């Protein structure tokens, strides 16, 4: 790997203008004590930095790049779209076209609203749940991350966990008191909290397959219990599928586990790499959103033509490519099986969970079922693994509290190279 000279200079200049030199904390690499490569461009499964390094990319912009970077059809469609203007602040048929495609894949979303980020989607879904039920309390799970809105930055995962501040300063006590955080996969804790104050709970929001404490799969009875208990007490069940949507199954966790949530949040992939997300659910609930109803939510760039275009092209490919999800899951399994084999040969205790085209890695003897388990994993070993893989040209998330992603553009050669690099990295 070429020395990150230009990136180091770019990083020091960036720090003059932006906190930590970045526009999202986890990109700063400060948790792995090294400077981040500054990116010049990306194509397919590879990402290239300004020092001439070429990496096999398993971050994929934190999930959106399921087709790989700069997909030809998406880029061609964007080139045509950008010449027609970049934003109108007025309705277009593109928004309806994307909504129709989303509904085809997520039929529980009878009515939906386009927004610009996963944070906006979950923040809005929480507001709708509170407005619809007239209740205030929200239940979330420790280590799950739903973006950075105040109500949800309590015991959060992702960067909040990475930097050891799961509950952010600036979130007032009054706000935090309406958010109840309990352990993921803890069915008894769910039943207990509803027995105590179920009639005050507006909604439970969950990453049905958790990707922000590292990848943590739901135990068999966890999601069915959430569905049963929320129904019993008249609370809404919100599936935050911003990350796992389209990946654990084309129709997300709700298809894989056959659970129909009341509201769903999607993001990342539906914008094909442009800022786009959505929240939606039954017409009965969503018709309460302005201007049909009184629950207000708005956005200057919501449904903008460029993001709609990229999203439409992306979802069309997902729908039109025979067995897309199965093929991508098999590709991911080849990688995960190879990594597990290398760890075994190296005599290193690792957990490498997989869910569709998502996978994670923990340096731990025991299965990871919640945030406490994730915190107990060996982060020093993770750091050495991460740095060794980066030096060998493998671009991974710089935190074990993140999930990794395979795209349809990853080749067998990419997979083999990654497995080979792991044989060195496991003993770093
Ligand atoms: P955004 O506001 O970052 O678009 O989405 C927030 C969000 C909501 N829900 C889930 C399940 C998510 O994973 C996310 C964002 N994911 C992180 C990666 N762990 C984004 C990366 C970052 O913060 O830079």
């Amino acid at each position: 790997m070429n020395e990150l000279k230009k990136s180091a200079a770019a990083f020091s200049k960036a720090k003059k203008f932006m906190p930590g030199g970045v526009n999202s904390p986890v990109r700063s690499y400060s948790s792995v004590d090294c400077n981040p490569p500054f990116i010049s461009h990306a194509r397919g499964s590879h990402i290239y930095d300004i020092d001439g390094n070429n990496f096999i990319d398993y971050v994929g912009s934190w999930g959106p790049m399921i087709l790989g970077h700069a997909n030809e059809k998406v880029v061609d469609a964007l080139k045509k779209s950008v010449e027609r203007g970049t934003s109108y602040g007025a309705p277009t048929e593109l928004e309806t076209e994307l909504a129709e495609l989303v509904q085809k894949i997520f039929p529980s979303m009878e009515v939906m609203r386009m927004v610009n980020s996963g944070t906006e989607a979950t923040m809005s879904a929480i507001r709708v749940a509170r407005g619809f039920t007239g209740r205030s309390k929200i239940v979330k799970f420790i280590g799950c991350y739903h973006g950075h809105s105040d109500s949800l930055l309590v015991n959060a995962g992702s960067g909040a966990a990475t930097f050891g501040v799961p509950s952010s300063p600036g979130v007032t006590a009054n706000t935090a008191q309406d958010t109840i955080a309990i352990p993921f996969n803890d069915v008894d804790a769910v039943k207990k909290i509803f027995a105590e104050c179920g009639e005050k709970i507006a909604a439970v929001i969950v990453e049905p397959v958790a990707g922000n404490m590292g990848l943590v799969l739901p135990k068999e009875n966890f999601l069915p219990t959430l569905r049963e208990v929320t129904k019993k007490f008249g609370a809404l069940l919100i599936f935050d599928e911003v990350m796992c949507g389209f990946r654990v199954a084309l129709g997300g966790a709700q298809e894989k586990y056959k659970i129909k949530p009341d509201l769903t949040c999607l993001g990342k992939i539906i914008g094909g790499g442009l800022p786009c997300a959505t929240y939606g659910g039954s017409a009965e609930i969503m018709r309460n959103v302005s201007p049909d109803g009184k629950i207000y939510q708005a956005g200057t760039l919501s449904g903008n033509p460029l993001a709609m275009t990229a999203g439409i092209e992306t979802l069309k490919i997902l729908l039109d490519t025979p067995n897309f999800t199965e093929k991508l899951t098999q590709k991911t399994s080849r990688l995960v099986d190879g990594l597990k084999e290398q760890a075994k040969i190296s005599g290193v205790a690792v957990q490498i969970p997989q869910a569709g085209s998502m996978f994670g890695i923990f340096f731990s003897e025991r299965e990871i079922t919640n945030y406490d388990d994730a915190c107990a994993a060996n982060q020093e070993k993770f750091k050495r693994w991460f740095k060794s893989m980066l030096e060998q040209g493998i671009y991974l998330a710089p935190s074990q509290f993140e999930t990794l992603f395979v795209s349809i553009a990853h080749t067998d050669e990419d997979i083999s190279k990654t497995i080979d690099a792991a044989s060195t990295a496991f003993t770093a």
Side-chain angles (χ1 to χ4, degrees):
M1 178 172 115
N2 302 336
E3 193 184 347
L4 302 183
K5 274 186 180 170
K6 289 180 182 173
S7 282
F11 198 31
S12 61
K13 182 174 181 183
K15 285 176 180 174
K16 292 176 186 158
F17 297 92
M18 293 160 284
V22 291
N23 285 305
S24 200
V26 74
R27 303 175 193 173
S28 65
Y29 277 40
S30 50
S31 60
V32 288
D33 306 327
C34 62
N35 287 342
F38 272 56
I39 303 306
S40 80
H41 66 288
R43 178 169 295 283
S45 58
H46 287 243
I47 195 163
Y48 304 81
D49 73 9
I50 60 176
D51 288 292
N53 292 305
N54 168 0
F55 301 99
I56 301 171
D57 179 16
Y58 291 101
V59 176
S61 184
W62 306 94
M65 309 322 294
I66 195 167
L67 301 181
H69 294 285
N71 172 277
E72 204 172 322
K73 284 184 179 174
V74 173
V75 171
D76 287 349
L78 282 171
K79 282 178 181 172
K80 294 188 182 76
S81 180
V82 75
E83 287 168 1
R84 304 164 68 92
T86 53
S87 181
Y88 316 122
T92 67
E93 293 171 291
L94 290 170
E95 295 148 271
T96 309
E97 189 177 352
L98 182 58
E100 202 168 12
L101 288 169
V102 169
Q103 192 179 88
K104 194 172 180 180
I105 301 171
F106 291 85
S108 69
M109 299 176 78
E110 293 171 0
V111 176
M112 66 192 84
R113 170 63 59 79
M114 299 295 167
V115 293
N116 299 286
S117 70
T119 294
E120 254 194 285
T122 58
M123 174 178 73
S124 306
I126 292 293
R127 185 178 310 134
V128 169
R130 285 172 163 156
F132 180 74
T133 61
R135 301 175 181 180
S136 307
K137 300 286 183 196
I138 296 293
V139 173
K140 76 174 287 290
F141 295 92
I142 298 165
C144 282
Y145 177 74
H146 305 287
H148 62 86
S149 65
D150 281 5
S151 287
L152 294 170
L153 258 192
V154 175
N155 287 96
S158 186
T162 298
F163 299 112
V165 190
S167 301
S168 172
V171 176
T172 64
N174 283 342
T175 300
Q177 72 181 359
D178 282 334
T179 302
I180 301 163
I182 55 180
F184 187 78
N185 272 327
D186 189 336
V187 165
D188 293 339
V190 172
K191 290 176 178 173
K192 182 170 179 291
I193 201 65
F194 269 89
E196 285 170 3
C197 61
E199 70 291 342
K200 293 178 184 166
I201 296 173
V204 171
I205 185 167
V206 66
E207 290 182 64
V209 173
N212 287 291
M213 51 183 120
L215 181 62
V216 178
L217 305 184
K219 284 182 181 169
E220 193 172 352
N221 59 349
F222 181 55
L223 299 177
T225 301
L226 294 185
R227 183 63 287 178
E228 180 194 330
V229 164
T230 47
K231 264 205 172 76
K232 182 180 172 187
F233 284 87
L236 300 191
L237 177 59
I238 303 172
F239 269 15
D240 175 355
E241 300 219 40
V242 166
M243 185 189 280
C244 64
F246 309 99
R247 283 195 177 272
V248 299
L250 184 59
Q254 54 198 270
E255 176 189 308
K256 181 180 174 70
Y257 297 104
K258 297 180 179 47
I259 300 238
K260 185 180 180 183
D262 297 299
L263 290 171
T264 298
C265 302
L266 299 172
K268 297 181 190 278
I269 286 168
I270 77 162
L274 270 70
C276 177
T278 187
Y279 69 97
S282 68
E284 181 200 4
I285 296 172
M286 289 299 291
R287 293 294 180 207
N288 289 279
V289 178
S290 179
D292 282 350
K294 295 193 172 71
I295 302 170
Y296 197 72
Q297 179 271 315
T300 302
L301 296 174
S302 296
N304 79 80
L306 296 184
M308 296 299 103
T309 299
I312 288 164
E313 289 309 313
T314 299
L315 297 199
K316 276 182 178 172
I317 294 168
L318 297 186
L319 283 165
D320 297 347
T321 307
N323 306 314
F324 181 96
T325 307
E326 291 73 14
K327 286 177 190 161
L328 187 51
T329 299
Q330 286 162 12
K331 190 190 292 272
T332 309
S333 297
R334 279 202 304 280
L335 172 63
V336 168
D337 293 347
L339 293 175
K340 286 179 178 175
E341 183 59 29
Q342 284 302 339
K344 195 174 171 189
I345 293 166
S346 309
V348 176
V350 286
Q351 303 294 322
I352 308 180
Q354 176 190 353
S357 53
M358 301 162 67
F359 68 102
I361 184 157
F362 299 94
F363 286 84
S364 170
E365 303 270 352
R366 66 181 186 189
E367 186 193 4
I368 308 295
T369 62
N370 60 31
Y371 183 66
D372 284 350
D373 291 348
C375 290
N378 188 322
Q379 299 191 46
E380 280 311 307
K381 279 189 178 177
F382 174 86
K383 217 182 275 187
R384 293 197 295 273
W385 143 270
F386 169 80
K387 285 179 174 177
S388 172
M389 292 294 269
L390 187 68
E391 280 155 17
Q392 297 182 77
I394 313 299
Y395 190 79
L396 304 175
S399 165
Q400 69 153 32
F401 296 108
E402 296 293 349
T403 290
L404 299 164
F405 306 95
V406 179
S407 80
I408 205 69
H410 280 84
T411 63
D412 289 343
E413 187 188 359
D414 290 331
I415 303 290
S416 304
K417 276 186 178 173
T418 307
I419 293 167
D420 291 346
S423 65
T424 303
F426 278 132
T427 51

